[in-house]
Amino acid sequence: MTAARIVVATQKSSATSLALPYLNRELSWLDFNARVLEEALDERVPLLERLKFLAIFSTNLDEFYMVRVAGLRRKATSGASQYASDPLTPAEQLIAIRERVASLLERRRTVLRRELLPALAVRGIQLVPMPALDDDERERVQAFFDAQVFPVLTPLAVDPGHPFPYISNLSLSLAVDIVDPVTGKEHFARVKVPRLLSRWVSTGHGHRYVPLEEVIASNLGSLFPGMEVRRSFLFRITRYSDLDLGQMDQPEDLLETIEQQVFQRRFGEVVRLEIQRDMPEAIRSLLLEELGASETQEVAPLQAADVHELDELLELGDLMQLAGIDMPELHDPPHSPLTPPAFRDSRNMFDVIRERDVLVHHPYESFGSSVEAFLEAAANDPQVLAIKLTLYRTSGDTAIVRALTEAAEAGKQVAVLIELQARFDEQNNIGFARTMENFGIHVAYGLPGLKTHTKTVLVVRREADGIRRYVHLGTGNYNSKTARLYTDIGLFTCHPEIGADLSDLFNSLTGVSRQKFYRRLAVAPVGLRAKVLELIDRETAHAMAGRGGRIIAKMNALVDPEVIAALYRASQAGVEVDLIVRGICCLMPGVKGISERIRVISIIGRFLEHSRVAFFANGGRPEYYIGSADWMPRNFDRRVETMVPIDDPQLHPGLERVLATCLADNRQAWELGSDGQYRRREASGKDSRATQATLIRHPWGAPDPPPAVTRSRRRRPS
């Protein structure tokens, strides 16, 4: 795999005169998406799951352009700089991104055309062009077009009386070349491919499908009667789609402001144009001219370099529909989450949590019988006085929302901090906010420029010995759908100091507060980075004193320059560091004199690795933490996040086994080398150790785990 471009930070380590290596954030993300694409190539992965990974790669890339590339284009236009640790200018990054994406798109085309479509055809799943249909299939497809498609199509011509139409973000369109046979005059028209209809039209014979755009293209004559339709070509655009609240003054009504921003996002500048390879230069130039025009000098106009020439299939994210075909033999084996042992005997959940802290591990253990059951119990328990929680992303008809509304109707005090700025879930969260307000729930929205990303629930209960606070803190969202697909860890506790900390946190979120002191929690933006640096530096001090040093951290992304510099110092002092980073990693492991004792792996599989866990050996007094934050500037500085210690030593062995299982993985793991390249770990035969397969069988790691990789190691001789 092509490496993320290596750059050298200007920041110097206090322990060495060497400059610190720092991998470019955007190129590291593209390397992550390349690892997702490689799952589509892996013959060990079931066929329809391979198709799913191809679709995920494509939708990931769409979001990358809507947010990251769009932001870089604006920075390049304004002359703004990037992170101080990354000397690549935005313009240089855009050039590197174009080169990397071009190679990835060619690899995607090869995977689809030479690997997946032929293999799917052998199993009876085919994408067929209109000319390949037999008479019966053609008749069925034509009937479908006449009844379902034609009524919703709106042909839009472009001429002096018809201005160039608005093109919505990520929509598929046909550019149609038309000639008036009477006057001989040429016309251009656009026909949108309806997004509310299935992209893949069944022929009525097994799993044979025709792309909807081909069905429309073969019937363009009915849209332009009396005209000669010469040809048509598919195109698709990507618009800038981030929100700009970070630069705003405090709005009077955040909900209304977010709604306005979401609406305005529809008209963001075009940052990418995807076209069929054989599109004529005249049509391509027309699209570039009309779509690339910028109304402001702050936004760069669309250029030829922003055009992606693809084959006849655009928008491969829609392959997810085909990946859902009900053919069990072509899917991963079904997985049914287990009820966590602590909650299996139908006892009152509050009694269980009062006796001991409980950890749960999703999706291996059930979200429904733990988190949702906890909120349902709180809603129905007459002794519960108040429920407070944060919602970043949640699903539609969710038991959590139902439990909250039932609790409010029962007269309990219910307060929800719902994050309106959760990217691409803004509209959903606005709907949830209004629904909850209608049921008498107290809803707060947070502040512009500071997203509430922490995953916390606080339940206040009246008991015989007084008021007790019950808490859930997790690494993942309160979303029943993603809880079946993302790996996350959650803690249930009634620890008095943690409960008091959460009370203070909620008071600061729903009221007016400058709370900076917390007893057990580390909270961003007031102190989380400082806590992480303190823990790393403490481990460095242990190593320098000859007590060994060991850090293991699992997260989604590692970007923060200060934390990376601290990890480099720890390595130089003799601390052994293992990092399990699913996505972006700007740290360079294995560099002589800087990071020789640091190893980095990324695990890609059927579940999205989402849990954030950290282990510090602490000179023989080990500490474990879980939290909502990745080690990134945005999490430390621009979000409300929490990290909580796992104090009960009886819970440590499970966390140790989970981390050991990840580090021993030789099936799903990719290792980052000192050259900036990721290489897949390879296993043969019975020696295969796949993290997620192991945890499906044993949610807290195998009873006989791999070697004790989490033990503190003595400093290696230099």
Side-chain angles (χ1 to χ4, degrees):
M1 292 176 60
T2 303
R5 182 171 173 180
I6 302 170
V7 298
V8 180
T10 56
Q11 182 181 5
K12 302 287 185 178
S13 167
S14 60
T16 179
S17 60
L18 295 175
L20 302 180
Y22 189 89
L23 291 170
N24 177 261
R25 180 200 190 285
E26 316 304 346
L27 298 179
S28 180
W29 184 92
L30 287 173
D31 278 350
F32 155 67
N33 209 27
R35 297 193 293 277
V36 174
L37 182 59
E38 289 299 311
E39 291 296 299
L41 269 170
D42 193 338
E43 294 183 355
R44 298 170 297 180
V45 177
L47 188 54
L48 287 177
E49 302 298 328
R50 294 170 64 186
L51 194 67
K52 176 192 74 176
F53 280 110
L54 191 73
I56 293 172
F57 166 86
S58 301
T59 54
N60 283 351
L61 196 60
D62 287 344
E63 183 172 334
F64 180 71
Y65 269 84
M66 287 189 286
V67 177
R68 302 305 307 179
V69 172
L72 283 173
R73 292 176 85 255
R74 290 190 168 193
K75 285 184 176 181
T77 303
S78 66
S81 61
Q82 191 64 359
Y83 296 124
S85 295
D86 187 347
L88 282 181
T89 67
E92 290 172 331
Q93 292 181 67
L94 288 171
I95 293 171
I97 287 169
R98 287 167 188 150
E99 294 173 356
R100 183 73 171 110
V101 168
S103 67
L104 290 174
L105 291 178
E106 181 58 28
R107 188 157 182 79
R108 181 182 72 172
R109 187 190 69 81
T110 301
V111 171
L112 181 64
R113 294 297 176 185
R114 299 184 184 177
E115 300 268 348
L116 293 182
L117 290 182
L120 289 166
V122 170
R123 303 308 297 265
I125 302 173
Q126 294 178 287
L127 292 181
V128 294
M130 287 292 291
L133 302 183
D134 61 31
D135 291 342
D136 181 58
E137 289 177 321
R138 190 173 294 106
E139 184 177 336
R140 287 173 179 266
V141 170
Q142 187 63 47
F144 173 78
F145 174 83
D146 293 339
Q148 302 291 330
V149 183
F150 180 79
V152 301
L153 296 180
T154 304
L156 297 171
V158 177
D159 56 37
H162 300 85
F164 193 87
Y166 164 77
I167 310 292
S168 57
N169 185 39
L170 301 181
S171 61
L172 281 173
S173 298
L174 286 166
V176 188
D177 185 12
I178 304 167
V179 175
D180 187 331
V182 176
T183 65
K185 185 177 180 180
E186 294 187 3
H187 296 270
F188 170 86
R190 177 253 185 168
V191 178
K192 181 177 180 179
V193 179
R195 301 180 76 169
L196 296 179
L197 299 177
S198 173
R199 174 81 180 283
W200 317 110
V201 180
S202 174
T203 67
H205 289 174
H207 293 296
R208 280 169 57 87
Y209 304 92
V210 184
L212 178 59
E213 61 268 24
E214 288 203 25
V215 176
I216 296 172
S218 67
N219 285 278
L220 286 173
S222 61
L223 292 174
F224 304 97
M227 296 287 141
E228 176 189 344
V229 177
R230 285 183 173 178
R231 51 194 174 172
S232 65
F233 303 91
L234 203 62
F235 71 95
R236 180 174 182 256
I237 68 167
T238 307
R239 292 184 181 273
Y240 175 83
S241 298
D242 208 0
L243 300 185
D244 293 325
L245 292 178
Q247 285 70 47
M248 283 190 172
D249 294 331
Q250 175 72 40
E252 294 183 5
D253 188 328
L254 183 59
L255 179 62
E256 181 179 340
T257 301
I258 295 287
E259 285 187 304
Q260 292 172 353
Q261 286 271 309
V262 170
F263 177 78
Q264 289 298 324
R265 185 163 64 189
R266 300 170 55 199
F267 306 102
E269 71 268 18
V270 178
V271 298
R272 179 180 59 166
L273 170 62
E274 297 170 280
I275 62 173
Q276 288 183 230
R277 292 183 194 277
D278 57 350
M279 178 180 283
E281 182 60 33
I283 297 180
R284 172 182 169 144
S285 297
L286 173 65
L287 291 175
L288 262 178
E289 179 182 355
E290 296 290 350
L291 295 170
S294 174
E295 298 179 358
T296 170
Q297 294 181 352
E298 297 177 359
V299 177
L302 201 65
Q303 301 174 2
D306 302 311
V307 179
H308 293 176
E309 295 183 356
L310 307 173
D311 59 12
E312 63 272 18
L313 278 181
L314 277 66
E315 170 51 309
L316 296 186
D318 286 342
L319 291 173
M320 189 65 79
Q321 298 172 20
L322 297 182
I325 290 174
D326 186 15
M327 296 180 69
E329 68 276 15
L330 302 185
H331 286 285
D332 287 322
H335 166 60
S336 297
L338 304 172
T339 298
F343 302 138
R344 287 179 186 171
D345 59 4
S346 300
R347 292 177 60 204
N348 182 292
M349 293 189 76
F350 299 110
D351 292 342
V352 173
I353 298 168
R354 190 164 58 249
E355 290 178 1
R356 62 187 185 279
D357 290 354
V358 177
L359 280 176
V360 291
H361 196 187
H362 313 303
Y364 312 108
E365 294 181 320
S366 169
F367 184 80
S369 60
S370 56
V371 176
E372 290 181 341
F374 176 65
L375 283 162
E376 289 168 350
N380 296 321
D381 189 327
Q383 302 306 315
V384 167
L385 305 177
I387 304 172
K388 303 180 182 183
L389 85 162
T390 58
L391 280 180
Y392 190 72
R393 301 187 195 275
T394 190
S395 49
D397 184 22
T398 170
I400 289 177
V401 175
R402 290 197 303 272
L404 296 174
T405 55
E406 290 171 3
E409 289 180 317
K412 302 182 192 316
Q413 185 185 60
V414 181
V416 177
L417 193 292
I418 187 162
E419 181 48 69
L420 298 182
Q421 301 172 70
R423 184 176 290 151
F424 303 128
D425 270 343
E426 299 95 345
Q427 200 63 54
N428 287 338
N429 286 2
I430 288 170
F432 291 134
R434 290 202 163 119
T435 297
M436 288 187 284
E437 284 179 324
N438 290 338
F439 280 93
I441 294 173
H442 302 290
V443 178
Y445 304 127
L447 297 171
L450 191 64
K451 292 185 180 181
T452 304
H453 190 250
T454 181
K455 293 76 168 75
T456 56
V457 176
L458 173 66
V459 173
V460 181
R461 191 169 186 260
R462 180 174 49 214
E463 298 181 351
D465 55 351
I467 298 294
R468 182 173 277 108
R469 287 172 282 212
Y470 293 84
V471 167
H472 173 268
L473 296 109
T475 67
N477 298 309
Y478 294 116
N479 186 317
S480 59
K481 293 181 180 178
T482 58
R484 296 192 290 269
L485 302 173
Y486 292 12
T487 70
D488 279 302
I489 292 175
L491 170 70
F492 291 95
T493 183
C494 60
H495 191 293
E497 290 189 333
I498 294 176
D501 279 348
L502 266 195
S503 287
D504 290 341
L505 178 60
F506 274 107
N507 288 343
S508 70
L509 292 174
T510 60
V512 178
S513 169
R514 295 188 182 273
Q515 180 77 22
K516 292 185 177 180
F517 170 76
Y518 293 91
R519 304 157 188 83
R520 300 295 296 154
L521 296 182
V523 177
V526 296
L528 181 54
R529 179 191 279 111
K531 180 63 176 180
V532 171
L533 291 173
E534 174 193 324
L535 293 170
I536 296 171
D537 290 344
R538 185 186 65 184
E539 213 62 28
T540 301
H542 281 307
M544 295 178 70
R547 293 187 291 271
R550 188 79 172 101
I551 297 171
I552 304 175
K554 182 177 184 294
M555 65 196 77
N556 296 294
L558 173 58
V559 177
D560 190 75
E562 288 186 61
V563 171
I564 290 173
L567 290 170
Y568 285 153
R569 292 194 298 271
S571 173
Q572 294 161 33
V575 179
E576 297 292 339
V577 181
D578 277 289
L579 302 172
I580 306 157
V581 186
R582 171 178 58 87
I584 302 164
C585 181
C586 296
L587 177 147
M588 177 82 78
V591 178
K592 186 174 181 179
I594 296 177
S595 56
E596 290 172 286
R597 295 176 176 85
I598 304 179
R599 295 157 294 276
V600 177
I601 64 170
S602 169
I603 294 174
I604 306 293
R606 66 184 289 185
F607 304 131
L608 184 142
E609 291 292 330
H610 194 254
S611 53
R612 290 98 168 185
V613 186
F615 163 81
F616 300 89
N618 191 28
R621 299 179 300 279
E623 293 181 357
Y624 288 86
Y625 296 82
I626 67 170
S628 59
D630 296 312
W631 291 356
M632 303 178 71
R634 72 181 188 188
N635 298 86
F636 290 140
D637 301 326
R638 301 189 299 277
R639 293 188 174 189
V640 178
E641 307 271 14
T642 52
M643 184 175 74
V644 61
I646 306 302
D647 290 324
D648 187 349
Q650 295 184 55
L651 299 178
H652 291 181
L655 291 170
E656 179 178 359
R657 288 194 300 272
V658 168
L659 293 175
T661 299
C662 293
L663 295 178
D665 190 303
N666 59 8
R667 165 64 183 84
Q668 298 176 281
W670 294 76
E671 194 155 3
L672 177 59
S674 59
D675 57 357
Q677 294 193 44
Y678 282 89
R679 296 173 179 86
R680 192 199 298 265
R681 288 181 176 176
E682 299 291 345
S684 59
K686 296 181 180 179
D687 190 42
S688 176
R689 297 187 298 273
T691 294
Q692 295 178 359
T694 299
L695 296 177
I696 285 174
R697 297 191 301 272
H698 308 286
W700 291 101
D704 299 315
V709 294
T710 60
R711 292 177 184 169
S712 174
R713 301 177 185 176
R714 291 292 177 182
R715 181 175 181 177
R716 295 178 182 173
S718 58

